[in-house]
Amino acid sequence: MFVKNKEGTRAIMPINDFANICGYFYNAAFNNFNIPTPNNGYNCKHPNCDVIEDGYGCCYTFSCPLGWEADDEECNEFGLDYEEGEFIVTEDRDILDKLLE
């Protein structure tokens, strides 16, 4: 599920939907020692991922290099109910193009 603005220059969506199309998300649920990885396996391999725990990039709305965490105002603008950490906003052209496919 996603919602684009009228101009098609920005979109908002749940982080789970975003993770499925961004191209950098991966689920490293367990490391080589069968120990759960940080962030419950919500991991990121983007080179600009700045939240690294135990050597694993962590996928969060607040630190995504391809977007930013939606605030209450942005959720209202797109007709969504705000929930902290739930929605991500992006202006990344590659992501927007994938939404049109």
Side-chain angles (χ1 to χ4, degrees):
M1 175 222 120
F2 69 91
V3 181
K4 288 174 87 172
N5 65 356
K6 291 182 223 172
E7 298 80 19
T9 58
R10 201 164 38 119
I12 187 171
M13 66 198 81
I15 185 65
N16 289 338
D17 293 346
F18 184 85
N20 285 324
I21 63 169
C22 80
Y24 294 98
F25 172 81
Y26 71 103
N27 186 336
F30 293 92
N31 64 18
N32 293 337
F33 303 104
N34 208 28
I35 299 170
T37 58
N39 199 26
N40 296 316
Y42 276 71
N43 302 115
C44 177
K45 60 184 175 187
H46 192 283
N48 295 327
C49 177
D50 63 354
V51 179
I52 310 293
E53 295 179 26
D54 297 333
Y56 295 91
C58 295
C59 176
Y60 291 110
T61 55
F62 65 81
S63 66
C64 182
L66 301 176
W68 61 92
E69 184 174 340
D71 61 19
D72 188 41
E73 187 176 308
E74 288 166 319
C75 286
N76 286 335
E77 175 186 338
F78 285 94
L80 301 169
D81 293 328
Y82 172 74
E83 188 174 330
E84 185 176 354
E86 177 67 22
F87 295 101
I88 189 164
V89 181
T90 187
E91 293 176 340
D92 183 271
R93 189 76 249 162
D94 291 335
I95 298 294
L96 295 173
D97 288 346
K98 286 179 183 180
L99 295 174
L100 296 175
E101 295 176 353

